[in-house]
Amino acid sequence: MTGTLINFATVMVGGVLGLLIGERLPERIKVIVIAAIGLITVVMGISSGIATKNALIPLLALVIGSVIGELINIDKGINWLGEWLKKRFSRADSPQNFTTAFVIASLQFCVGPLTILGSINDGLTGDYRLLAIKAVLDGFSAIIFASSFGVGTLFAGATILLVQGGISLMAGLVKPLLVSDPHLSMAQQPRVVELAAVGGVILVGLALNILDIKRIKVANMLPALLVAPLIVALLNIFGIPINFGLG
C-alpha cells in the first residue's frame, strides 16, 4: 500500500494548504484552476475511454451498472455520509460546501484508470509509480478543492485509504479475475482495458460536474466498473471476439 499511503499524504498536505491559503486566493484564481482540473479530467477520461476494444462493452456496462446504482442509490448514500460528517466535524463551512467537497473530491481521487491500474500494480508487484503520479495530481486538486469548498476535502482522504488500499490488499484475489492472457501486461489485459475505459467515461461525467455544465449522479455509475470485466469474461467463455475498437 505504499502508493496509497503516498497518495493519502499528498491529499492531506494539499488539503491543509488549501484551508490555510484559501482566504488569500482571489476567487478568479480558484475558478480558473477548478476549470483547469475539470478540463484535464476530461482529457484523462477520454484518453482512457477510447482505449476500449469494443465500444459496446463500456456502453452495456454503464447502462447495466447505472441502473443498478440508481436502484440502490449510491449517490444518495454518499451524500448522506457527507452530511453526517458535516454535522459531526464541520464548523465554518456551509452545509453545501462540506458535502460538495467530500463527494466531488472522493470521486475525483478514486475513479479512473490511475486508481485502478495503480492500485493493482502496487498490490501485486509493489510498483507504485502510477499512484505516485496520481498523488501529485490529487495533491494539487486538494489544494484547490479545500480552498474553494472547505474541510470536507480532507475527509476524502479516507476514501483513498478505503478504495485504493482495498484494491491493493485484494490484488492477489482480484488478479485471476482480471488476467485472461498471461502473456500480456496487466495494463493490456482486455478486462482491465474495458474496466479502465468505463472509469474514463465516468471521469468525463465527473468533469461535467466540476465544470458545472451538467449535474450527473456519477456515483450511481460506479457498479459499471464491476460489470465491465464480467461482460468481457462472458465473451471469453463463449469465444466471442471483442476487438472491434471504436471505429
Side-chain angles (χ1 to χ4, degrees), residues 9-225:
T10 59
V11 167
M12 292 298 100
V13 172
V16 171
L17 284 175
L19 293 176
L20 293 175
I21 67 174
E23 295 182 357
R24 299 183 180 90
L25 280 178
E27 188 63 28
R28 66 182 187 276
I29 299 296
K30 298 178 185 178
V31 171
I32 194 67
V33 174
I34 286 178
I37 292 172
L39 291 173
I40 196 64
T41 302
V42 171
V43 172
M44 292 174 63
I46 291 176
S47 65
S48 183
I50 63 176
T52 178
K53 300 302 181 182
N54 186 338
L56 287 176
I57 295 174
L59 173 61
L60 286 173
L62 282 163
V63 170
I64 296 172
S66 296
V67 170
I68 294 172
E70 195 66 36
L71 288 174
I72 61 180
N73 211 341
I74 299 173
D75 183 81
K76 181 179 179 181
I78 293 178
N79 277 280
W80 175 87
L81 179 58
E83 286 293 317
W84 182 81
L85 290 172
K86 171 190 68 69
K87 292 175 182 177
R88 289 186 61 88
F89 300 103
S90 179
R91 293 293 181 270
D93 286 0
S94 69
Q96 296 81 5
N97 279 355
F98 189 103
T99 303
T100 298
F102 175 73
V103 173
I104 289 184
S106 292
L107 292 172
Q108 174 76 11
F109 298 154
C110 294
V111 175
L114 287 179
T115 297
I116 298 163
L117 293 176
S119 298
I120 291 175
N121 284 344
D122 191 16
L124 289 178
T125 67
D127 182 357
Y128 57 85
R129 286 176 295 179
L130 286 177
L131 289 185
I133 295 171
K134 178 179 177 293
V136 175
L137 296 174
D138 288 351
F140 284 111
S141 297
I143 293 174
I144 299 304
F145 287 153
S147 65
S148 300
F149 302 124
V151 73
T153 304
L154 293 175
F155 288 86
T159 311
I160 292 176
L161 291 177
L162 180 64
V163 175
Q164 287 186 187
I167 294 174
S168 292
L169 290 174
M170 292 190 298
L173 297 175
V174 173
K175 183 179 180 179
L177 302 177
L178 296 178
V179 174
S180 57
D181 188 341
H183 301 294
L184 297 175
S185 68
M186 183 60 69
Q188 295 173 319
Q189 295 293 330
R191 298 174 191 178
V192 176
V193 170
E194 301 308 325
L195 188 157
V198 170
V201 176
I202 294 175
L203 274 182
V204 174
L206 177 62
L208 296 180
N209 287 346
I210 294 174
L211 295 170
D212 202 22
I213 295 175
K214 182 175 178 61
R215 168 75 173 104
I216 299 175
K217 294 180 179 179
V218 176
N220 285 349
M221 298 180 177
L222 294 179
L225 294 171

